[in-house]
Amino acid sequence: QVQLAESGGGLVQAGGSLRLSCAASGRTFSRYAMGWFRQAPGKERELTAICWSGGGTYYADSVKGRFTISRDNAKNTVYLQMNSLKPEDTAVYYCAAHPSRSYYWTDYNYWGQGTQVTVSS
């Protein structure tokens, strides 16, 4: 079992930055792919970024060049640094864990409670 808890959301003006954190329980954190997903009102949940267990990363085109995902296995924590934020980035952001490798949110077994990010224009 993996338990996840996000923090770091909030209200920011367009062009600003936020850093999200996701703290995980469990001794096998390093073996999991860790993903950040987001869901805006009335929209389907979508992939934002993934950090694979080996350290490689993947980004959705909409955030490439602006967001950076990273992980600290010693702290059981994954981060999402969000720069140059836009109003369309407004959503609830969730971190999730997968024991292997997947791009699809429906495959992820473990989820945090989500943290709200609001970007004002």
Side-chain angles (χ1 to χ4, degrees), residues 46 57 59 64-65:
E46 63 178 15
T57 57
Y59 296 94
K64 203 173 293 182

Side-chain angles (χ1 to χ4, degrees), residues 4 7 30 38 45 48 93 100 117:
L4 304 172
S7 61
S30 63
R38 66 186 183 185
R45 192 167 297 191
T48 303
Y93 283 72
S100 180
V117 171

Side-chain angles (χ1 to χ4, degrees), residues 41-81:
K43 294 190 177 181
E44 190 170 326
R45 192 167 297 191
E46 63 178 15
L47 169 65
T48 303
I50 301 172
C51 188
W52 307 115
S53 59
T57 57
Y58 174 85
Y59 296 94
D61 288 344
S62 58
V63 306
K64 203 173 293 182
R66 300 188 297 122
F67 290 12
T68 302
I69 188 171
S70 61
R71 65 192 299 162
D72 185 336
N73 289 333
K75 295 183 178 179
N76 279 15
T77 302
V78 61
Y79 305 98
L80 186 68
Q81 177 67 44

Side-chain angles (χ1 to χ4, degrees), residues 7-13 15-21 36 66-68 79-86 89-91 93 115-120:
S7 61
L11 173 64
V12 64
Q13 289 190 331
S17 297
L18 281 174
R19 187 195 196 202
L20 305 183
S21 299
W36 284 98
R66 300 188 297 122
F67 290 12
T68 302
Y79 305 98
L80 186 68
Q81 177 67 44
M82 305 185 294
N83 298 330
S84 302
L85 282 160
K86 305 175 181 180
D89 294 318
T90 295
Y93 283 72
T115 185
Q116 177 70 48
V117 171
T118 302
V119 185
S120 63

Side-chain angles (χ1 to χ4, degrees), residues 90-106:
T90 295
V92 177
Y93 283 72
Y94 299 89
C95 71
H98 191 282
S100 180
R101 199 179 163 93
S102 177
Y103 296 95
Y104 304 104
W105 70 267
T106 51

